[in-house]
Amino acid sequence: MALTSIIKGTGSYLPEKIMTNADLEKVVDTSDEWIVQRSGIKERRIAADGETTGTMAIEAAKRALEASNLTAADIDGVIVATTTPDRTFPSVAVKVQGELGIAPGLAFDVQAVCTGFVYALATADNFIKMGQAKRILVIGAEKMSSIVDWNDRTTCVLFADGAGAVVLEAQENKNGLDGQGIHSTHLYANGKQRELLQTSGGPATTGDAGHVLMQGREVFKYAVSYMADVVEETLQHNSIEASQIDWLVPHQANIRIIESTAKKLDMSMDKVVVTVDRHGNTSAASIPLALDEAVKDGRIQRNQMLLIEAMGGGLTWGAALVRF
Ligand code: UT7
């Protein structure tokens, strides 16, 4: 019997502070109209001074455990997708492990920028399918506000902060595609495109974290085509039609990219979870934040089929097919 990883429960955390487009008009030369038209973002959450990627990850993890009716004692691994760790080392994952009192076991961060959650989910899924872990906390958490240049209007209006988490649990799947769990994951990177979206520094070059630099128009173009390719590959790999997908849960970078993927799949926007208008681009946190929102408000129901996809710096991109 094949082992699969089911999503036992979800949780998320958003900082209290809301920054609207009107607030940003006071920071850089921009307008609500430009931001809404080009990206679909109306407001975003910005972490308070004491809040870090780690503190947000811990809160999201606690909520995911609660939703799963589990405690720290039930968890044997922690994987955090982040590009904005509290410190260069140790990882955010060990902070979560230590603060929640999870017993020694695997704990590490995955860095694939906005595709980070899909990479982390795939990594955890493989550990579970190999029988090396039973329950893994998979978290996407970012404090992007700490690495944007607040004088650069081309990036600071887009990125934001937050965290989302899922608990994956090993289960036997007797029902193939009809069974719950992660059915496939598809990961890609094209390192030749790493200068399209990068930071201006890092520990081994400038000695600081640097700021986000993005060639937006180029990234947009690749985002649209890579998303279309990887969702098509995911459907073909599982021999299913787009009409069998109940929910598209995409990375939330830009409403126009999301709409383009939905259109390629001939999916109505009613079947797409959209948070970009209120969350902005929270990088690796955006998918688990969107997932948790739609689970908690009752849109996503047990046994529905989810198509998850993301694209980000690297360039990296990926998708996952999951029966919830
Ligand atoms: O999450 C990881 C992956 N990231 C993405 O997927 C982001 C992909 N890219 C995008 O979403 C879009 O390219 C942006 C939202 C970043 C930009 O939209 P765009 O339609 O591609 O605009 P653009 O970069 O071509 O800029 C158009 C104009 C420029 O002026 P000129 O050169 O036409 O005179 C910019 O200088 O808009 C100007 N501009 C702004 N104006 C007002 C750029 N940023 C702003 C701003 N406010 N914040």
Side-chain angles (χ1 to χ4, degrees), residues 28-31 34-35 37-41 113-115 152-159 197 214-221 223-224 251-257 281-283 311-313 315-316:
V28 284
D29 178 16
T30 191
S31 66
W34 189 96
I35 302 171
Q37 259 182 20
R38 306 283 175 142
S39 71
I41 301 168
V113 209
C114 299
T115 319
D152 178 4
R153 68 175 183 172
T154 69
T155 51
C156 76
V157 303
L158 305 172
F159 293 97
L197 180 47
M214 177 165 73
Q215 296 178 37
R217 215 174 302 182
E218 284 292 290
V219 175
F220 186 97
K221 194 176 77 188
V224 167
H251 168 50
Q252 311 280 326
N254 187 318
I255 190 68
R256 292 184 289 144
I257 299 172
N281 183 346
T282 58
S283 184
M311 186 267 185
L315 296 179
T316 52

Side-chain angles (χ1 to χ4, degrees), residues 109 196 202 261:
D109 290 356
L196 295 179
T261 311

Side-chain angles (χ1 to χ4, degrees), residues 5 79 81 108 110 112 115-130 136 138-139 166 168 182-188 308 317-322:
S5 321
I79 303 180
F108 58 91
V110 166
T115 319
F117 185 75
V118 184
Y119 267 74
L121 198 72
T123 306
D125 179 44
N126 282 308
F127 274 110
I128 285 175
K129 284 183 173 147
M130 291 301 289
I136 302 183
V138 184
I139 304 167
V166 300
L168 290 188
I182 299 177
H183 289 292
S184 71
T185 55
H186 308 263
L187 303 180
Y188 287 96
I308 289 171
W317 63 103
L321 185 76
V322 185

